[in-house]
Amino acid sequence: MFDTLIRKALVIDGSGAAPYVADLAIADGKIAEVANFIDAEARHHVDGDGLCLSPGFIDVHTHDDLNVIQDPDMLAKISQGVTTVIVGNCGISASPVTLAGDPPDPLNLLGNRTAFTYPRFSLYAQAVIEAQPSVNVGALVGHTAIRNNHMDDLQRTATATELEAMMADVRGALSDGALGMSSGLAYGSAKCSSTEEVMALVKELGREGAIYTTHLRTEFDAVLEAMNEAFLTARSGKVPLVISHLKCAGKGNWGRSGELLTHIEQANAAQKVACDCYPYAASSSTLDLAQVTDETEIFITWSQGSPDQAGRYLKAIAADWDTDLISAAKRLLPAGAVYYCMDEQDVTNIVSYPRSMIGSDGLPNDPHPHPRLWGAFPRVLGHYCRDLGALDLPQAVHKMTGLSASEFRLAERGLIKPGYCADLVLFDFQTIKDTADYTNPKQAAKGVEKVWVNGVLSYEPGTHVTGRSGQFLYRQ
């Protein structure tokens, strides 16, 4: 007897192949059988007629490091059909971290000082296992986090002694099962690191078959030079590269997406390169003075400097204070912001690019988060796939499942295939839609009917989360 039998669903298997109607059986957390008709009994029967059945979505770019422990229901993700999150992006990770004071920007995006209690990667992995979140968790270690462990001043590159200690941290995390390392070279706490510093750490990844992801040193005018640095760094360590949230930031860069994508294609002839992206024309992070310009609308989501100004646009704040944008921004710091810095056509081009994966880059601790936290994956399916026709349904699902599992080397995930883990989402392609917006960002999507994680029913709209069966995914 099977645990669950799903009947007559349109199967989009995650490979990019054409859909087909089939029954699917789940047993012991795995996909047991996929066939035109399965003549068997099951404890639970699900009518999939008229609905799509795909692998659970893999969010390759998250900052859920501590939320999978503190808020293990993970409703913002499971309600989208996300069954796996990759944490530790942009150089920011919860482990291995030892703080001497408050976490520096942008490490503070994850939480305050008391939240960082994992000086070793193994302790973090064990905490996730004990919390048993509703989603699977794979983790990168952050370059900025490791810098913070050994440097008394982040506004310079590491000394030889500091770099040796950082390399030891990377080796320890990899031996404990980290997927790889991320960097966030655009942030003030990492931008002074030399290319050679990062290359030394990436070589440790190459020795263990791990992956390197990077938030480029800039996503503005010098983005091609920043991409070249990333290509060189990954090539020197003989590791796969993922460029985080690829974008053409700033009006001066609008229309350059074709140039960036061609650059990746050319690099990919000599090394393995991919990218992730989110399906929105606005970004979100901490308030960065380098991004403050009068050509971009900036919405302040939180502020420690002037908490009463949260939820307002920077231009309005500056006008009320009778000052310029930079001066106003300095008074708000530390703060969070949404930047309306991209062109919609560039976003469409990058979302539909064959080597791009989907990552929400959501900030779960932001009191007014970007809507991507709750809506990224349904938005790809509903807006870009169904409404715009920028990519077809098998392509869209592949970007969120099979491609992601392959790039991050997640064994037996990302495909509908007998023997694979039963991470599955049943959705209505005609109605799936992100409902989160910039005004009301904390809203569950429509059209996601059921989600299973490791064979356990874990989400149905209008009900409480019914399963907490996520696993920690160690590097294979």
Side-chain angles (χ1 to χ4, degrees), residues 400-413:
M400 306 190 290
T401 58
L403 179 62
S404 306
S406 174
E407 293 290 345
F408 282 84
R409 301 174 179 178
L410 306 180
E412 298 182 345
R413 311 268 174 185

Side-chain angles (χ1 to χ4, degrees), residues 296-316:
T296 299
E297 286 288 349
I298 301 173
F299 180 80
I300 303 302
T301 61
W302 59 271
S303 167
Q304 288 186 18
S306 298
D308 60 315
Q309 299 302 311
R312 303 188 66 207
Y313 284 91
L314 179 61
K315 285 182 181 178

Side-chain angles (χ1 to χ4, degrees), residues 6 52 65 136 160 168 257-258 272 318 413:
I6 305 168
C52 297
D65 303 52
N136 304 305
S257 54
K272 189 171 176 56
R413 311 268 174 185

Side-chain angles (χ1 to χ4, degrees), residues 419-442:
Y420 273 51
C421 299
D423 297 340
L424 300 163
V425 55
L426 190 68
F427 64 91
D428 187 337
F429 183 57
Q430 300 307 315
T431 64
I432 194 165
K433 177 181 174 62
D434 57 308
T435 65
D437 57 30
Y438 293 100
T439 303
N440 298 297
K442 298 180 182 181

Side-chain angles (χ1 to χ4, degrees), residues 151-359:
M151 297 178 65
D152 59 3
D153 178 9
L154 299 180
Q155 305 306 308
R156 57 175 174 80
T157 200
T159 66
T161 301
E162 291 164 343
L163 186 54
E164 283 293 333
M166 291 161 64
M167 291 163 66
D169 276 359
V170 172
R171 286 193 295 270
L174 291 175
S175 69
D176 288 336
L179 299 178
M181 187 187 80
S182 71
S183 65
L185 302 179
Y187 289 106
S189 49
K191 69 180 179 183
C192 292
S193 60
S194 65
T195 303
E196 290 72 23
E197 174 187 315
V198 185
M199 287 171 64
L201 298 172
V202 168
K203 285 179 180 176
E204 297 294 335
L205 305 179
R207 294 186 181 101
E208 298 296 334
I211 191 171
Y212 174 53
T213 77
T214 182
H215 177 154
L216 297 170
R217 206 173 282 274
T218 182
E219 297 168 323
F220 289 81
D221 292 350
V223 62
L224 291 183
E225 291 85 348
M227 291 171 73
N228 287 338
E229 179 189 23
F231 298 154
L232 173 64
T233 301
R235 193 164 61 246
S236 72
K238 300 178 181 178
V239 299
L241 171 68
V242 175
I243 297 175
S244 297
H245 41 59
L246 184 69
K247 64 173 72 73
C248 301
K251 285 189 176 180
N253 274 340
W254 289 7
R256 293 185 68 191
S257 54
E259 186 181 0
L260 269 60
L261 298 175
T262 297
H263 208 51
I264 291 179
E265 280 299 296
Q266 292 170 343
N268 202 68
Q271 62 187 112
K272 189 171 176 56
V273 183
C275 64
D276 69 57
C277 62
Y278 48 82
Y280 297 87
S283 66
S284 180
S285 187
T286 51
L287 180 59
D288 175 13
L289 298 181
Q291 294 189 55
V292 173
T293 169
D294 59 6
E295 70 177 23
T296 299
E297 286 288 349
I298 301 173
F299 180 80
I300 303 302
T301 61
W302 59 271
S303 167
Q304 288 186 18
S306 298
D308 60 315
Q309 299 302 311
R312 303 188 66 207
Y313 284 91
L314 179 61
K315 285 182 181 178
I317 296 169
D320 284 354
W321 288 349
D322 193 24
T323 189
D324 60 88
L325 294 176
I326 291 290
S327 298
K330 287 178 178 179
R331 284 178 60 178
L332 294 167
L333 292 174
V338 169
Y339 304 88
Y340 294 86
C341 63
M342 288 171 269
D343 176 68
E344 183 58 48
Q345 187 57 55
D346 285 324
V347 176
T348 302
N349 293 344
I350 294 170
V351 166
S352 58
Y353 173 59
R355 298 189 198 281
S356 69
M357 297 168 283
I358 304 304

Side-chain angles (χ1 to χ4, degrees), residues 85-124:
V85 298
I86 306 297
V87 303
N89 284 281
C90 295
I92 309 162
S93 63
S95 71
V97 172
T98 303
L99 293 175
D102 291 333
D105 183 285
L107 217 58
N108 56 4
L109 286 173
L110 300 185
N112 58 31
R113 181 179 182 179
T114 60
F116 289 86
T117 59
Y118 311 108
R120 297 194 307 277
F121 187 85
S122 59
L123 294 175
Y124 173 75

Side-chain angles (χ1 to χ4, degrees), residues 341-409:
C341 63
M342 288 171 269
D343 176 68
E344 183 58 48
Q345 187 57 55
D346 285 324
V347 176
T348 302
N349 293 344
I350 294 170
V351 166
S352 58
Y353 173 59
R355 298 189 198 281
S356 69
M357 297 168 283
I358 304 304
S360 69
D361 196 17
L363 302 178
N365 299 317
D366 196 313
H368 190 104
H370 189 297
R372 65 194 182 188
L373 178 67
W374 285 78
F377 290 80
R379 182 170 174 79
V380 170
L381 293 170
H383 180 64
Y384 287 92
C385 179
R386 183 191 62 226
D387 298 344
L388 293 185
L391 64 172
D392 64 30
L393 184 55
Q395 289 175 315
V397 170
H398 176 59
K399 288 173 165 294
M400 306 190 290
T401 58
L403 179 62
S404 306
S406 174
E407 293 290 345
F408 282 84
R409 301 174 179 178

